């Protein structure tokens, strides 16, 4: 029962940006996988919804310094 959510992540300009977003997301409880694509400004996250939610993931991305919205 993992959920998969795709986020738009605006403002990443290098692969280290993507790495810092991935690292921050992976520090949250309940994250199964986080794949951040700097070229397409996307983050695909697979997570356990009983341990974490979209809002917390959004806040985490914003705290790293990027604007984000849920795409689907
Ligand atoms: Mo390097 Mo990416 O400062 O912001 S991590 S461009």
């Amino acid at each position: 029962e993992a959920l998969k959510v795709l986020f738009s992540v605006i403002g990443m300009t290098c692969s280290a940006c993507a790495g810092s977003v991935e690292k921050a997301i992976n520090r949250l409880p309940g994250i199964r996988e986080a794949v951040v694509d700097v070229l397409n400004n996307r983050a695909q996250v697979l997570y356990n919804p009983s341990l974490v939610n979209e809002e917390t993931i959004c806040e985490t991305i914003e705290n790293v310094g990027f604007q984000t919205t849920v795409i689907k």
Side-chain angles (χ1 to χ4, degrees):
E1 358 59 15
L3 288 185
K4 190 189 279 186
V5 178
L6 182 64
F7 297 87
S8 159
V9 183
I10 300 307
M12 298 187 294
T13 54
C14 75
S15 59
C17 296
S20 61
V21 172
E22 268 183 16
K23 200 170 168 184
I25 294 170
N26 277 315
R27 275 197 289 265
L28 295 169
I31 302 296
R32 290 254 196 104
E33 185 179 45
V35 178
V36 181
D37 179 350
V38 61
L39 295 179
N40 294 302
N41 300 297
R42 296 285 185 271
Q44 178 88 255
V45 185
L46 193 65
Y47 65 95
N48 179 341
S50 64
L51 295 176
V52 67
N53 56 38
E54 276 178 13
E55 289 69 27
T56 299
I57 298 167
C58 271
E59 284 167 11
T60 298
I61 295 169
E62 286 170 356
N63 286 341
V64 180
F66 303 107
Q67 290 191 306
T68 183
T69 57
V70 172
I71 295 176
K72 64 182 180 183

